[in-house]
Amino acid sequence: MKLLKTVIGLAVAAACVNAHAVTYKVPADGSRLVGEVLVTTVPGNNTSLESIAAQYQQGFSNMMEANPKVDPYSPRPGSTVIIPQQLILPDTVHEGIVVNSAEMRLYYYHDGVVDVLPVGIGQLGKDTPVDWITKVERKKAGPTWTPTAQTRAEYAAMGEPLPAVVPAGKDNPMGLYALYVGRLYAIHGTNADFGIGLRVSHGCIRLRDPDIEYLFNNVPVNTRVQFINEPVKVTEEPDGGIYIEVHQPLSTNESDLNSSDYSPLHLKPAIKAFLNEHKVNRSLLDEYFNTRNGMPQLLNPVEW
């Protein structure tokens, strides 16, 4: 990795992240490896991995991948946790918004930089779209929510009947702002304190309040939006380094979702071709396929 940086305490580290996003300059030399891995110390009691994630603009899944041995609900005070702020930019055009469901991140490209925001995505069976290019059709502050008949029946079965239209406000699961990207989908806020970096929605993209407010204020209508599902990203850097970033793929059935084992990892033909065309350390490759820590890993170290 390019750099492992230690930051002591949340107060210091929070100053390293913008209030609305982690922002990276898009490399001009063809590189797709950006950022750095941070390490921070867990403060006093009553701190969860989610609260640390929010401080560093990470999703819950990103933090759990990078810290598999850390108790997500009660990490030990004084212990260290990894903040996975180094990443490989998706292999897409660097334009508008790109949502990668597998890593639960939203990328917003503009003015030579990219803002990276953690998101919550659709539950199994109510999946967020993939392989879809659309645009921001309209924006709305204080959105209302019109649940489908099926959604209303599900809530009623749980003893939580919904009105035909949920009005704008603090109890609306759409949050404070929405960017509509199709007849059925939106990028919006949330009224929950938990769920960013998890499969929690009915297919839409959820963000924390400051993040959706930032997008609402800065993303123009007609901005290009692309949805992808890429659990494995690879890049050949200008210095010859070959990197791979492996995330846990999204479960596609109840059996995988409820299993304690990892979901099967199916490589797309382009990823297979890349790995076959480049000389990489196969032992390291197998290790990274098994650990799936969601951070870029070097596959051709000098000492190999």
Side-chain angles (χ1 to χ4, degrees):
M1 290 192 180
K2 286 185 174 179
L3 181 60
L4 182 65
K5 184 176 180 180
T6 301
V7 180
I8 305 299
L10 289 177
V12 175
C16 302
V17 181
N18 294 328
H20 56 75
V22 181
T23 301
Y24 306 90
K25 183 177 180 181
V26 177
D29 58 359
S31 168
R32 288 176 35 232
L33 183 67
V34 298
E36 59 192 16
V37 174
L38 307 180
V39 177
T40 192
T41 302
V42 177
N45 294 322
N46 302 318
T47 296
S48 68
L49 209 58
E50 161 61 22
S51 65
I52 298 174
Q55 288 279 353
Y56 287 92
Q57 294 292 72
Q58 301 295 309
F60 193 56
S61 61
N62 305 133
M63 294 294 290
M64 289 194 297
E65 285 180 334
N67 301 278
K69 296 182 179 180
V70 173
D71 183 335
Y73 303 106
S74 184
R76 183 169 53 84
S79 63
T80 58
V81 292
I82 294 172
I83 312 296
Q85 283 188 7
Q86 187 181 51
L87 51 86
I88 296 173
L89 298 175
D91 191 12
T92 64
V93 296
H94 293 168
E95 177 186 349
I97 289 173
V98 176
V99 176
N100 187 0
S101 292
E103 61 176 317
M104 302 196 200
R105 285 180 176 134
L106 179 152
Y107 297 80
Y108 174 41
Y109 293 92
H110 63 98
D111 305 314
V113 302
V114 57
D115 300 317
V116 181
L117 302 164
V119 299
I121 63 170
Q123 304 167 34
L124 180 65
K126 302 168 184 175
D127 301 276
T128 295
V130 296
D131 300 325
W132 183 36
I133 297 176
T134 181
K135 66 179 180 179
V136 176
E137 296 183 352
R138 61 188 177 94
K139 304 191 294 184
K140 184 173 179 58
T144 58
W145 178 40
T146 305
T148 64
Q150 180 180 354
T151 299
R152 292 180 67 192
E154 291 173 357
Y155 273 75
M158 296 186 294
E160 302 176 17
L162 292 172
V165 178
V166 179
K170 62 182 180 62
D171 296 324
N172 191 316
M174 294 283 289
L176 303 177
Y177 303 93
L179 282 62
Y180 293 92
V181 294
R183 189 174 65 88
L184 297 176
Y185 297 101
I187 299 169
H188 62 77
T190 178
N191 65 340
D193 294 330
F194 198 80
I196 302 304
L198 296 174
R199 301 179 74 173
V200 291
S201 78
H202 286 74
C204 291
I205 298 296
R206 290 186 183 181
L207 295 98
R208 296 185 179 106
D209 283 348
D211 298 344
I212 188 60
E213 182 176 9
Y214 170 74
L215 292 180
F216 181 84
N217 289 333
N218 289 278
V219 175
V221 171
N222 293 322
T223 294
R224 181 184 190 272
V225 179
Q226 181 173 2
F227 290 86
I228 63 175
N229 177 21
E230 302 288 351
V232 179
K233 298 182 290 182
V234 291
T235 179
E236 181 178 13
E237 291 298 287
D239 63 3
I242 305 296
Y243 288 82
I244 190 168
E245 179 181 325
V246 184
H247 295 267
Q248 172 71 353
L250 300 177
S251 302
T252 57
N253 55 66
E254 289 287 347
S255 177
D256 286 345
L257 183 66
N258 296 322
S259 173
S260 58
D261 297 327
Y262 276 161
S263 297
L265 189 63
H266 302 294
L267 298 183
K268 293 189 174 182
I271 301 294
K272 288 183 178 179
F274 178 93
L275 295 172
N276 288 331
E277 291 167 2
H278 294 84
K279 185 178 181 181
V280 300
N281 186 316
R282 293 288 161 174
S283 295
L284 289 177
L285 182 61
D286 290 342
E287 177 186 339
Y288 302 146
F289 281 156
N290 288 329
T291 55
R292 306 180 186 184
N293 67 7
M295 295 183 290
Q297 307 285 342
L298 183 64
L299 285 174
N300 59 343
V302 173
E303 64 273 15
W304 170 51

